[in-house]
Amino acid sequence: MMEGIYLLLGSNLGDKKNMLDQARNLISHEIGTIINSSALYETAAWGKENQPSFYNQVLKVQSELSAESILGKIQKIESDLGRVRLEKWGSRVIDIDILYYHQEVIENENLIIPHPGIPERKFTLEPLTEIAPDYIHPILKASNQELLYKCIDSLQVKRID
């Protein structure tokens, strides 16, 4: 059985690297142990393109919390770091998404896991494949590596550290 809780961090306002550092610190205090983290990647904005580029990073976290509890903690962390939700895909100081919660499939009004955007977003798949290339998507039954290979997203994703 493939275990793992994978989170995607993103920031495109202010000191992006510092914002991701702060988010990682809060995640390790509020949610659980960070087992692995990808490099940082810089990507042009996706969905709404007339905004600054994003820094993204994927973390593998070990936690005893439920997916719903993690979502609540993430929303508090985003809020504590100054996130304001003004528009879908708008600029943000911090964005944290739950990509996978072990092999669970969760669908309710607050939470969809695996994250529905995984297969079409290179900015998610590049860092995810770096740390979990063989992790199998529980619905698509394909590895992250296979999903990246099939991904048609043409946005440039550049490793920066």
Side-chain angles (χ1 to χ4, degrees), residues 100 125-126 128-130 132-137 142-151:
Y100 294 123
L125 284 166
E126 291 271 359
L128 191 53
T129 297
E130 179 195 330
D134 301 323
Y135 190 92
I136 303 294
H137 190 294
S143 70
N144 291 323
Q145 185 81 57
E146 292 168 308
L147 294 175
L148 178 59
Y149 180 74
K150 292 180 195 161
C151 183

Side-chain angles (χ1 to χ4, degrees), residues 57-107:
Q57 183 174 43
V58 169
L59 307 178
K60 180 179 183 182
V61 178
Q62 186 175 352
S63 177
E64 299 304 314
L65 298 173
S66 69
E68 288 78 6
S69 296
I70 291 173
L71 178 64
K73 300 258 187 202
I74 283 172
Q75 289 171 338
K76 182 175 183 332
I77 290 168
E78 289 176 337
S79 170
D80 288 350
L81 291 176
R83 165 114 190 232
V84 180
R85 293 172 188 272
L86 296 174
E87 59 179 330
K88 188 174 178 74
W89 297 324
S91 296
R92 58 207 80 142
V93 291
I94 191 67
D95 184 34
I96 306 169
D97 290 331
I98 304 172
L99 300 175
Y100 294 123
Y101 184 86
H102 308 298
Q103 285 286 294
E104 288 188 30
V105 177
I106 300 169
E107 264 191 73

